[in-house]
Amino acid sequence: MRSKFVAGNWKMNGSLAANEALLSALAAAPGIPRGGVAVLAPFPYLGQCADLLRGSTVSWGAQDVSVHESGAYTGEVSGSMLLEFGCRFVVVGHSERRAMHGETSELVARKAVAAVKAGLTPIVCVGETLQERESGRTQSVIGEQLDAVLSTAGMEVVGKSILAYEPVWAIGTGKTATPAQAQEVHSFIRRRVAGKDAGCAEGVLILYGGSVKGSNAGALFSEPDVDGGLVGGASLVAADFLEICKAAFVPSA
């Protein structure tokens, strides 16, 4: 049986004071299994995460990684640099990176390769826009995004990754895919991976990301192919984030 995993993506948010309050609350919270929760912070705050979370059951990671190991790539951050700050995870292919920075699925696949090579676990994001969903293209869009990773990165990399379905139309909008909608896409993703490697498909974690809240997390996480959440805004408030974590790790009565 697959374990659950919850990752909090801070996006471009945070301050030293706010982070300290949040991280201290997470580090002191009971009931979080080791390796079951991670925060994904902006680069400048990774050192603070390392200081305040070291020794706790909560892990930390970054929001992007370069395909390059070193060199004349101003503004880029390599996987080995992230590893030095104790990062275990890194997001690649977030919809905001795809839309605002023109990242292609092939580049996302190369970033996943770079992350695994550095010893990190990439959280590889796929998802469709509202227009794509309404035109009935959800599976074709996600299939194309996923196939680039499966073919370019290969199954060895996919087996060391976490996948995340983030419907673009549900990110920061307050709209959430219903549990049935999420399960339908997660099942499709797992079947797509199974077409290459059934064992890998059975073991790979697939997270849901898109306005996850304490009020809907339990229903989402109860679906058989939803293995946890990639949480945005709710991960910035300790009480809200811990309520989501509780939905993942505390059996309902």
Side-chain angles (χ1 to χ4, degrees):
M1 183 175 179
R2 293 181 301 274
S3 58
K4 295 293 185 183
F5 182 76
V6 179
N9 177 19
W10 294 1
K11 304 190 179 185
M12 199 177 73
N13 294 294
S15 68
L16 290 174
N19 300 348
E20 182 172 6
L22 172 59
L23 295 171
S24 297
L26 297 181
I32 294 180
R34 184 167 298 279
V37 172
V39 294
L40 307 167
F43 292 136
Y45 298 133
L46 292 176
Q48 187 184 27
C49 289
D51 289 341
L52 295 178
L53 293 177
R54 187 177 288 112
S56 77
T57 59
V58 180
S59 303
W60 58 97
Q63 300 172 0
D64 192 26
V65 65
S66 176
V67 298
H68 306 290
E69 292 185 14
S70 63
Y73 304 103
T74 301
E76 295 282 276
V77 176
S78 71
S80 60
M81 294 174 180
L82 299 179
L83 201 65
E84 284 196 318
F85 279 87
C87 290
R88 288 188 57 194
F89 304 94
V90 62
V91 179
V92 298
H94 192 281
S95 62
E96 291 160 1
R97 299 291 308 179
R98 293 177 187 263
M100 299 176 189
H101 298 271
E103 293 194 359
T104 64
S105 295
E106 289 71 24
L107 178 59
V108 172
R110 291 173 60 204
K111 288 187 173 186
V113 171
V116 169
K117 186 176 180 180
L120 302 168
T121 298
I123 301 174
V124 184
C125 299
V126 297
E128 84 284 13
T129 65
L130 181 60
Q131 182 181 16
E132 290 165 342
R133 170 166 280 273
E134 291 180 340
S135 62
R137 297 178 57 216
T138 294
Q139 291 191 2
S140 63
V141 168
I142 292 173
E144 290 172 3
Q145 294 172 344
L146 190 58
D147 285 350
V149 178
L150 298 177
S151 59
T152 301
M155 297 312 298
E156 183 177 356
V157 169
V158 174
K160 297 178 180 177
S161 302
I162 294 172
L163 304 179
Y165 167 53
E166 44 155 19
V168 180
W169 48 270
I171 298 174
T173 64
K175 299 179 180 179
T176 308
T178 66
Q181 287 174 323
Q183 169 59 22
E184 180 182 17
V185 177
H186 281 233
S187 176
F188 167 76
I189 292 171
R190 201 173 301 282
R191 293 195 308 272
R192 196 79 165 202
V193 176
K196 295 284 188 178
D197 187 319
C200 178
E202 180 59 32
V204 69
L205 298 183
I206 307 176
L207 311 182
Y208 171 79
S211 297
V212 180
K213 302 180 287 290
S215 58
N216 60 31
L220 287 164
F221 298 168
S222 67
E223 294 294 335
D225 289 302
V226 180
D227 302 315
L230 179 60
V231 184
S235 70
L236 297 171
V237 179
D240 295 344
F241 190 47
L242 289 171
E243 186 177 1
I244 294 170
C245 294
K246 181 179 179 180
F249 302 116
V250 178
S252 57

